[in-house]
Amino acid sequence: MTISHAPPDLPAAPEKGPAPGGLASPGLEPIVPASVRRARLRSVPRWLRRTVGPLLLLALWQVFSATGVLHPDVLASPGTIARAGADLIADGTLPAAMGVSLQRVAVGLVLGGVVGTALALVSGLSRLGEDLVDATVQMLRTVPWVGLIPLFIIWLGIGEAPKVALIALGVAFHLYLNVYAGIRGVDAQLIEAGVSLGLNRWGLVRHVVLPGALPGAMTGLRYSLATAWLALVFGESINADAGIGFLMNQAREFFRTDVIVVCLVVYAFLGLTADVIVRTLERLLLQWRPTFTGQ
């Protein structure tokens, strides 16, 4: 008699029938982790992600213009503005105006930058300098610099001088505040370390204070550039016979909203280009300073 040790046959698993009520069971969807979704978004080029917002705004603008929601007398359509810009470029009007405006901004930026940085160094590096300079600068800073236009006209006439002076004034205040804050924000332990290494006063300023104040100076430069373009708009309203502001004033007289928007786009483009240049310079000069860039 042979005894079999094989396990008994198991009953077959019952086949899955339809769900109660005759409904098929829903299929399972794969769960995608949030980290994977973020990785997919990061795989899209960053320049493409940054253009989504402006392109969406432009599309809505075109739709509203085509459907009559935006009347041409209120705001011209993007197509009309593009044609106006092409005409201004073709006849040389827009490049010439951009050249004049850029020259004014450059001169005002240099003058204001030199004055603001020099005052910040005097005030930030010395307590005596702070006592002599800071209170006066803070008092003048609270005065609306646009309100000084009538005085500038009386003092400097109606030529290029008041326009450049207005730009320089706005630039100087921003650079002063940020450079001064950068100098006073240097870690005192770094100063003590420099003294222990035998650095004299000039050595401390050169190797410790100025590099530590450089991030604040670059931030001040970015603010100064934004203020320079804003001051240019007001400055070119002072009896200007050339420049982007002059084109805007002419367009206002003839209700040319397309030309006005072209000039505004040029202002925005020049400001954005200047900011990109400063940010690139900031990355080159501050490679030693790792910062958080977002997740």
Side-chain angles (χ1 to χ4, degrees):
M1 178 176 182
T2 304
I3 301 176
S4 175
H5 296 281
D9 294 337
L10 297 176
E15 296 182 358
K16 294 183 179 180
L23 299 176
S25 59
L28 299 179
E29 296 182 359
I31 299 177
V32 181
S35 58
V36 176
R37 292 196 297 267
R38 288 195 297 266
R40 290 177 181 175
L41 290 176
R42 291 196 188 100
S43 64
V44 180
R46 191 176 183 188
W47 64 267
L48 184 60
R49 286 182 288 169
R50 292 172 69 92
T51 58
V52 171
L55 290 178
L56 180 60
L57 179 62
L58 191 65
L60 290 175
W61 183 2
Q62 180 63 43
V63 170
F64 289 158
S65 299
T67 56
V69 176
L70 282 177
H71 195 272
D73 293 337
V74 177
L75 185 62
S77 65
T80 304
I81 293 170
R83 288 191 294 270
D87 293 339
L88 291 174
I89 293 174
D91 60 15
T93 302
L94 189 58
M98 290 174 60
V100 173
S101 296
L102 282 172
Q103 182 179 359
R104 290 167 179 162
V105 170
V107 175
L109 186 65
V110 171
L111 292 177
V114 170
V115 173
T117 303
L119 291 176
L121 291 175
V122 172
S123 181
L125 297 175
S126 169
R127 292 182 181 179
L128 178 61
E130 180 183 10
D131 295 338
L132 296 176
V133 173
D134 187 66
T136 303
V137 174
Q138 296 296 340
M139 179 183 65
L140 294 176
R141 185 178 65 87
T142 59
V143 178
W145 45 269
V146 178
L148 298 176
I149 292 178
L151 284 178
F152 283 169
I153 294 176
I154 295 174
W155 295 341
L156 305 174
I158 57 175
E160 292 295 312
K163 304 175 182 61
V164 173
L166 191 66
I167 297 171
L169 187 64
V171 168
F173 287 141
H174 279 300
L175 270 179
Y176 172 83
L177 290 175
N178 286 274
V179 174
Y180 172 80
I183 292 174
R184 291 304 176 92
V186 175
D187 193 348
Q189 294 181 354
L190 295 177
I191 303 295
E192 295 177 359
V195 172
S196 64
L197 292 175
L199 294 178
N200 56 16
R201 181 176 178 82
W202 168 244
L204 287 174
V205 171
R206 179 182 178 185
H207 297 289
V208 179
V209 177
L210 293 184
L214 190 57
M218 300 305 296
T219 302
L221 183 58
R222 293 181 66 182
Y223 278 115
S224 297
L225 283 170
T227 304
W229 294 112
L230 179 61
L232 178 66
V233 175
F234 292 102
E236 289 185 334
S237 64
I238 307 174
N239 195 35
D241 57 358
I244 303 175
F246 172 69
L247 287 181
M248 291 183 64
N249 290 332
Q250 275 192 327
R252 181 193 61 193
E253 297 294 332
F254 295 98
F255 298 97
R256 291 289 305 275
T257 59
D258 52 351
V259 177
I260 294 175
V261 175
V262 168
C263 294
L264 292 176
V265 170
V266 171
Y267 275 130
F269 174 76
L270 292 177
L272 181 61
T273 303
D275 187 71
V276 169
I277 293 174
V278 174
R279 293 180 67 177
T280 304
L281 183 64
E282 186 178 11
R283 284 195 296 269
L284 293 175
L285 295 178
L286 302 178
Q287 294 180 0
W288 52 270
R289 180 173 173 260
T291 56
F292 178 68
T293 58
Q295 293 181 349

